[in-house]
């Protein structure tokens, strides 16, 4: 929405003007009018309005649209769109706003999102030079993957476990992690609906239907099992083929599972009262290091659990249970060949991670500060608040490799160092295997690099601006990306002094911006930036 320039304020009457009589009492009525005009100007507000449309370009009614200032996203104002798909928010001060839409079927989306699997959306700028009252909020439709699982004779494989693994660009690096699972019905069919567009892998595992009726029997039939099979019907994870799913698309992925006699794994569980239900997960390394499930069963100690039909390989058997108010778990690595194998898993309280956050450039911990532990492989994101003395604690953390992240409600805090039990962490990754002490050193203020991206004087919204270190780094957190807002602006805060390169890409959905090899070709054509300690720089990037 565009506003005309405000009239000059009374303060513009200089001392020289007063001496010349230009501001005599004869002008008091004019001055009063100017004061009123300035008061109105300072209270000017703006509008964010537009229409929500589906992928066919039709308006969508009964969509919950919410707006919030980016500095206080928890303070939302919301409304439902009418039959015309319209929304309108008036009386907004100049600034930047987070605009979201949630259709009746669910699935909140941010304005400017082009893919549900990547991108963060675009903040909407309001002010006298911006048009923010004729927006088109384009919804991205969800997608689906379904199919049928049969055995070698073409018969439905009922209760087969089908797993979905998503490929994501996380912190600028490509990762594959478990996303969802489903069991086939009596027709051997499964479906993952309402999922984001993107790239996926699939795997199927289980046992033939008749094995469940032979639990106490012996012989080849009781030992039959379906070997875990990756789409398209391959045994090795490295031979799996990815499915690339477009917005609104539904793909079919069928499996044919081969049943064969295999070994039996017998698991004894210690540390749980008799009769306590214990979940047993048998997992192995899948595509690109992701965790893939071979079997999920329920055990009841002290009776050992028997898992039949396990094909040769190296597995991790993990047990989890609720004992009173406490969660306990345990794991054991097992290698299975052609012979039956036994294993013992001892249950105990999971590790506790406690620690302290120190800040290099401020004396007080900011309000709303938090620590997040991120496990990319298992898709675990656990967040805890930081106390005013900098202390924090994570109880019952599943063992694994984690990346600590620090932030507040409005920005991330750059980590200068990560120390686990007194030892510096490699690439800021920590391994949790037992109770541990984590110490973090952060930089709150630091330097600032901000600016705009434009083409022929017009702002370019939704482009990726990458701030890369001039010297390549193996640490992905050394690379920072920003999706430009509606006014083409970007901002990187809390930066340590150093030499950087600014790179702009308009098509960047699959770009691994924290991979030095992927960034290398763009370093020479990027904009070099030298940042001194605590310095702020504003840069305008003009695209051809």
């Amino acid at each position: 929405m565009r506003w005309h320039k405000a009239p000059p304020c009374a303060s513009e009457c200089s001392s020289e003007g007063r001496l010349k009589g230009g501001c005599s009492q004869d002008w008091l009525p004019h001055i009063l009018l100017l004061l009123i005009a300035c008061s109105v100007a300072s209270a000017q507000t703006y509008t964010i309005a537009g229409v929500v449309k589906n992928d066919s370009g039709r308006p969508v009614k009964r969509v919950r649209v919410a707006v919030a200032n980016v500095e206080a996203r928890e303070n939302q104002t919301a409304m439902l769109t009418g039959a015309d798909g319209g929304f309108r928010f008036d009386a907004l001060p100049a600034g930047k706003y987070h605009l979201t839409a949630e259709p009746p079927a669910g699935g909140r989306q941010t304005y400017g999102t082009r893919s549900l699997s990547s991108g963060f959306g675009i903040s909407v700028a309001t002010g006298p030079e911006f048009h923010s009252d004729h927006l088109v909020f384009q919804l991205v439709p969800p997608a689906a993957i379904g199919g049928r699982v049969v055995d070698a004779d073409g018969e439905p494989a009922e209760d087969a476990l089908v797993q979905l693994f998503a490929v994501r660009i996380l912190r600028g690096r490509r990762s594959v992690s478990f996303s969802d699972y489903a069991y086939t019905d009596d027709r051997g069919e499964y479906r993952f609906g309402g999922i984001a567009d993107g790239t996926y892998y699939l795997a199927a595992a289980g046992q033939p239907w008749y094995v469940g009726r032979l639990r106490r029997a012996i012989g080849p039939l009781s030992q039959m099992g379906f070997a875990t099979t990756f789409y398209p019907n391959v045994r090795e994870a490295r031979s799996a083929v990815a499915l690339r799913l477009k917005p609104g698309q539904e793909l079919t992925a069928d499996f044919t599972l081969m049943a064969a006699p295999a070994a039996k794994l017998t698991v004894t569980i210690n540390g749980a009262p008799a009769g306590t239900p214990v979940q047993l997960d048998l997992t192995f390394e899948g595509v690109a290091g992701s965790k893939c499930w071979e079997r999920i069963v329920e055990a009841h100690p002290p009776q050992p659990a028997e898992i039949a039909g396990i094909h040769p390989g190296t597995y991790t058997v993990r047990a989890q249970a609720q004992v009173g108010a406490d969660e306990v778990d345990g794991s054991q690595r097992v290698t299975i060949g052609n012979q039956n194998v036994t294993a013992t898993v001892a249950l105990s309280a999971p590790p506790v991670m406690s620690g302290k956050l120190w800040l290099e450039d401020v004396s007080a911990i900011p309000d709303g500060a938090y620590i997040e532990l991120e496990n990319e492989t298992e898709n675990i994101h656990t967040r805890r608040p930081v106390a005013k003395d900098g202390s924090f604690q994570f109880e019952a953390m599943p063992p694994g490799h984690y990346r600590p992240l620090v932030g507040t409600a409005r920005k991330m805090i750059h980590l200068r160092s990560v120390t686990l039990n007194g030892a510096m962490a490699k690439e800021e990754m920590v391994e949790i295997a037992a109770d541990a002490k984590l110490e973090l050193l952060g930089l709150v203020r630091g330097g600032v690099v901000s600016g705009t991206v434009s083409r022929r004087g017009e702002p370019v919204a939704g482009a990726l601006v990458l701030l890369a270190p001039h010297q390549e780094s193996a640490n992905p957190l050394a690379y920072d990306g920003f999706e430009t807002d509606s006014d083409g602006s970007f901002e990187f805060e809390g930066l340590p002094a150093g030499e950087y390169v600014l790179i702009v890409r308009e098509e960047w959905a699959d770009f691994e911006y924290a991979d030095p090899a992927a960034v290398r070709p763009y370093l020479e054509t990027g904009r070099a930036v030298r940042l001194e300690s605590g310095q702020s720089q504003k840069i305008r990037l003009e695209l051809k």
Side-chain angles (χ1 to χ4, degrees):
M1 185 175 183
R2 188 175 299 274
W3 289 80
H4 295 291
K5 187 178 185 296
C9 292
S11 59
E12 293 182 8
C13 186
S14 64
S15 57
E16 182 182 358
R18 288 194 294 272
L19 288 173
K20 292 181 178 179
C23 292
S24 66
Q25 291 185 353
D26 294 339
W27 288 86
L28 282 177
H30 298 281
I31 293 176
L32 289 174
L33 287 174
L34 288 173
L35 286 171
I36 294 172
C38 289
S39 176
V40 172
S42 64
Q44 281 181 346
T45 58
Y46 305 90
T47 295
I48 291 179
V51 60
V52 177
K53 294 185 177 182
N54 61 20
D55 56 317
S56 300
R58 297 178 180 175
V60 185
K61 64 180 180 179
R62 297 195 60 77
V63 174
R64 182 185 184 272
V65 181
V67 68
N69 190 286
V70 295
E71 303 291 339
R73 297 191 181 189
E74 68 280 5
N75 299 327
Q76 288 187 349
T77 301
M79 62 165 294
L80 290 178
T81 60
D84 61 351
F87 62 89
R88 186 180 185 89
F89 300 97
D90 292 312
L92 300 174
K96 286 187 178 180
Y97 291 85
H98 187 62
L99 188 65
T100 60
E102 186 173 353
R108 183 179 302 173
Q109 300 183 26
T110 302
Y111 175 74
T113 297
R114 291 178 286 181
S115 169
L116 297 179
S117 62
S118 63
F120 308 100
I122 298 170
S123 295
V124 178
T126 61
E129 68 272 35
F130 303 124
H131 296 283
S132 58
D133 56 350
H134 288 88
L135 305 179
V136 175
F137 199 129
Q138 187 72 57
L139 294 178
V140 180
I145 297 177
R148 192 163 184 256
V149 183
V150 299
D151 62 18
D153 297 320
E155 295 296 322
E158 185 178 356
D159 286 331
L161 174 63
V162 183
Q163 299 166 69
L164 184 70
F165 302 89
V167 181
R168 297 284 185 265
I169 303 297
L170 185 63
R171 310 291 173 198
R173 294 278 184 92
R174 191 181 309 277
S175 67
V176 180
S177 60
F178 171 80
S179 178
D180 202 357
Y181 74 94
Y183 285 97
T184 56
D185 59 19
D186 58 352
R187 296 171 295 183
E189 296 178 353
Y190 73 93
R191 188 174 186 273
F192 298 103
I195 60 178
D197 56 290
T199 303
Y200 294 91
Y201 291 92
L202 286 164
Q207 288 183 288
W209 63 271
Y210 48 78
V211 175
R213 303 184 185 183
L214 300 169
R215 292 294 185 191
R216 298 183 180 180
I218 58 175
L221 284 182
S222 64
Q223 295 290 91
M224 298 292 280
F226 291 130
T228 299
T229 301
F230 294 90
Y231 183 82
N233 292 324
V234 295
R235 279 283 291 122
E236 299 294 331
R238 63 175 176 267
S239 300
V241 174
L243 288 168
R244 290 173 173 79
L245 201 58
K246 298 178 181 178
Q249 185 180 22
E250 178 156 357
L251 293 180
T252 299
D254 295 331
F255 288 88
T256 299
L257 303 183
M258 308 299 292
K264 178 173 66 176
L265 173 64
T266 301
V267 182
T268 299
I269 301 167
N270 295 332
T276 301
V278 178
Q279 178 177 302
L280 279 180
D281 299 340
L282 191 63
T283 63
F284 65 96
E285 187 175 300
V287 178
S290 59
K291 186 162 89 170
C292 186
W293 274 256
E294 175 73 18
R295 205 74 55 81
I296 302 173
V297 301
E298 187 174 282
H300 297 273
Q303 185 71 27
E306 295 184 348
I307 308 175
I310 305 301
H311 289 260
T314 300
Y315 300 87
T316 298
V317 55
R318 183 184 177 192
Q320 303 172 79
Q322 187 78 29
V323 178
D326 299 323
E327 293 182 4
V328 293
D329 70 5
S331 63
Q332 182 67 45
R333 192 86 162 164
V334 295
T335 299
I336 298 177
N338 296 321
Q339 303 298 319
N340 294 339
V341 176
T342 61
T344 299
V345 178
L347 297 179
S348 61
V352 174
M353 173 74 80
S354 59
K356 186 95 170 184
L357 171 65
W358 309 88
L359 298 177
E360 186 176 286
D361 56 345
V362 296
S363 58
I365 300 295
D367 292 338
Y370 65 84
I371 308 292
E372 182 173 310
L373 294 180
E374 177 183 84
N375 184 318
E376 299 176 9
T377 302
E378 300 190 33
N379 200 18
I380 298 174
H381 304 267
T382 305
R383 183 177 292 188
R384 294 290 184 271
V386 180
K388 282 300 180 182
D389 64 354
S391 63
F392 57 88
Q393 182 164 300
F394 293 80
E395 306 84 5
M397 285 299 300
H401 291 83
Y402 292 85
R403 183 183 304 283
L405 304 169
V406 184
T408 66
R410 61 179 297 268
K411 70 175 183 177
M412 301 299 294
I413 294 176
H414 181 84
L415 283 177
R416 301 281 277 170
S417 67
V418 176
T419 305
L420 181 68
N421 294 332
M424 293 292 291
K426 183 180 180 181
E427 296 183 17
E428 299 187 351
M429 291 288 291
V430 297
E431 181 180 4
I432 299 177
D435 291 355
K437 178 76 171 181
L438 181 66
E439 292 184 285
L440 305 173
L441 177 63
L443 183 67
V444 175
R445 293 174 183 163
V448 177
V449 174
S450 63
T452 58
V453 179
S454 60
R455 177 182 283 113
R456 293 186 292 276
E458 294 296 322
V460 177
L464 173 70
V465 179
L466 167 63
L467 186 68
H470 182 267
Q471 186 70 33
E472 291 184 358
S473 173
N475 180 7
L477 297 184
Y479 297 78
D480 206 350
F482 195 107
E483 187 174 4
T484 55
D485 294 329
S486 66
D487 59 350
S489 65
F490 62 89
E491 184 175 55
F492 301 100
E493 299 178 286
L495 300 172
E499 294 187 4
Y500 300 88
V501 179
L502 275 173
I503 298 166
V504 181
R505 287 198 59 174
E506 291 185 86
E507 298 297 328
W508 53 274
D510 295 321
F511 180 48
E512 293 185 80
Y513 64 82
D515 180 358
V519 174
R520 197 175 300 138
Y522 303 96
L523 291 175
E524 289 188 5
T525 57
R527 175 77 169 268
V529 178
R530 183 180 180 87
L531 192 65
E532 303 294 339
S533 179
Q535 182 186 17
S536 294
Q537 291 192 34
K538 194 158 188 175
I539 300 171
R540 179 177 177 180
L541 300 173
E542 181 71 21
L543 302 183
K544 295 181 180 179

